[in-house]
Amino acid sequence: MSKIKILTDSASDISQKIEQKLDIMVVPFKVTLGDKSYVSRVDFTNEDFYRMMDEYDGMPTHSQITIFEFLDIFEQLYKEGYTDIINVSINKEGSATHNNAVMAAQQFFDEHKEAKDTFHIFNIDGMSYTGGYGYAVTQAAVKAKKGDSPEEIVDFIEDWVKNCTIFFAPYSLKYAKKSGRIPSAAAFAGELMGLKPIMRIQDNKIVTNSKVRGDKNIIPEILKLTVDEIIPQTPYSIVYGSDRSVGDEMASVMTKKMGYPPVEMYQIGAAIAINAGPKVVGTIFKRKNTD
């Protein structure tokens, strides 16, 4: 009988309540502000970090999760009797974390040849950020508790991340420009004219999908784009940051338009806020097949 552990990183923005309820292992990113280093989800809450960003003049950074950290985790879970580890990592185009997990798995089996037939590690590229893969992780944990096989769970995750789209808008481009992790937003030149980019995240890419004039037009534009592309009657989520009110407004207009509420509200943590800024809003959903 399989004993499955679902593993992810803190950029998935899964709440600690859900992490504990579903027994998900969330590996935190380390964050640096100047000469001080912190562990996300351990040393501060999201609200603490937004305040720290506001008070810090420089650019916060975060480091990848290393091969050695993953190797220690795989060793620990192997000793605890797990048979299948399903690890879903932040977009491999935005971090070396996924590739580090892959290399750690290779090293683990080089060192534990006896585990080849009894211990399995599935490393999946989340292809996205925040709840874009966080939702797949939580559903995977639900499926594991129901007794689904590792292969069924992996198939579900891979289907979700390959067909997931996020539309989101940062209310300020200050952090995107400084970090360079959101390339098209960093190059966006319309901010002085009051233009705001609506970003699309899918297939490992972040691009400027459209632009609107003024903050008041952000939510209506994301609503329109989402309704045009979402598979009808499928679950969707809302992502927000330091301002819960814009997340609530996004949820309200989506509920009115779709006829049912979001399944989850994801508040971005440090790893995402560093690059997008603390105030954001967006939607996460499975898009129609456009082939």
Side-chain angles (χ1 to χ4, degrees):
M1 183 175 176
S2 297
K3 184 179 179 182
I4 302 170
K5 176 58 96 175
I6 306 297
L7 176 68
T8 191
D9 53 65
S10 60
S12 63
D13 291 329
I14 294 168
S15 72
Q16 289 179 310
K17 180 179 178 180
I18 291 177
E19 171 190 355
Q20 293 164 6
K21 178 182 177 182
L22 296 178
D23 193 29
I24 299 167
M25 179 179 260
V26 179
V27 186
F29 280 101
K30 295 179 178 64
V31 176
T32 301
L33 287 83
D35 59 356
K36 294 183 179 179
S37 292
Y38 305 88
V39 178
S40 58
R41 298 169 74 95
V42 175
D43 294 332
F44 50 72
T45 65
N46 288 343
E47 285 74 16
D48 290 336
F49 187 70
Y50 302 147
R51 185 172 61 254
M52 291 160 65
M53 288 180 73
D54 188 53
E55 294 171 353
Y56 179 58
D57 290 334
M59 185 66 201
T61 59
H62 66 82
S63 54
Q64 61 194 251
I65 298 168
T66 67
I67 294 173
F68 305 106
E69 288 176 278
F70 278 117
L71 190 57
D72 284 345
I73 290 167
F74 297 154
E75 292 271 5
Q76 171 194 336
L77 296 176
Y78 178 54
K79 289 176 182 175
E80 291 177 3
Y82 286 94
T83 60
D84 297 88
I85 311 306
I86 301 175
N87 174 46
V88 190
S89 298
I90 186 174
N91 180 3
K92 69 179 181 182
E93 298 301 321
S95 172
T97 295
H98 171 71
N99 288 335
N100 288 345
V102 171
M103 288 188 282
Q106 293 171 344
Q107 185 171 333
F108 175 87
F109 287 113
D110 285 344
E111 296 174 2
H112 295 277
K113 291 184 169 49
E114 79 285 355
K116 182 179 178 182
D117 296 324
T118 59
F119 186 71
H120 312 97
I121 301 173
F122 302 89
N123 281 310
I124 303 170
D125 172 18
M127 299 181 69
S128 188
Y129 301 94
T130 188
Y133 65 102
Y135 175 76
V137 169
T138 59
Q139 293 305 298
V142 170
K143 290 175 179 295
K145 283 187 174 294
K146 284 169 48 183
D148 287 13
S149 71
E151 292 76 18
E152 288 172 323
I153 295 170
V154 168
D155 286 347
F156 166 81
I157 296 170
E158 290 182 338
D159 177 69
W160 173 267
V161 298
K162 288 174 183 174
N163 293 284
C164 174
T165 292
I166 301 177
F167 285 121
F168 86 100
Y171 280 76
S172 167
L173 296 182
K174 171 185 173 183
Y175 293 93
K177 287 177 177 177
K178 283 185 176 180
S179 75
R181 292 290 185 93
I182 307 179
S184 53
F188 188 73
E191 195 168 23
L192 292 177
M193 300 168 60
L195 297 177
K196 304 289 184 176
I198 308 299
M199 313 302 299
R200 176 194 290 267
I201 304 178
Q202 72 183 52
D203 301 328
N204 292 110
K205 298 180 178 65
I206 308 177
V207 300
T208 299
N209 187 87
S210 55
K211 49 185 177 283
V212 297
R213 190 175 297 279
D215 291 356
K216 64 181 174 56
N217 290 315
I218 287 175
I219 288 176
E221 177 70 3
I222 293 176
L223 172 67
K224 175 183 177 298
L225 293 170
T226 304
V227 170
D228 284 348
E229 295 197 24
I230 189 173
I231 299 172
Q233 301 303 311
T234 57
Y236 66 91
S237 300
I238 303 299
V239 60
Y240 69 99
S242 58
D243 187 347
R244 172 75 190 219
S245 68
V246 295
D248 289 341
E249 183 182 351
M250 189 80 248
S252 177
V253 298
M254 280 292 295
T255 300
K256 184 177 180 180
K257 189 71 176 179
M258 298 296 294
Y260 57 98
V263 291
E264 189 57 80
M265 301 279 288
Y266 289 94
Q267 184 182 43
I268 63 168
I272 305 300
I274 282 171
N275 300 302
K279 185 176 179 181
V280 302
V281 71
T283 55
I284 302 165
F285 60 94
K286 190 174 184 181
R287 66 182 177 276
K288 298 172 186 173
N289 189 334
T290 54
D291 294 342

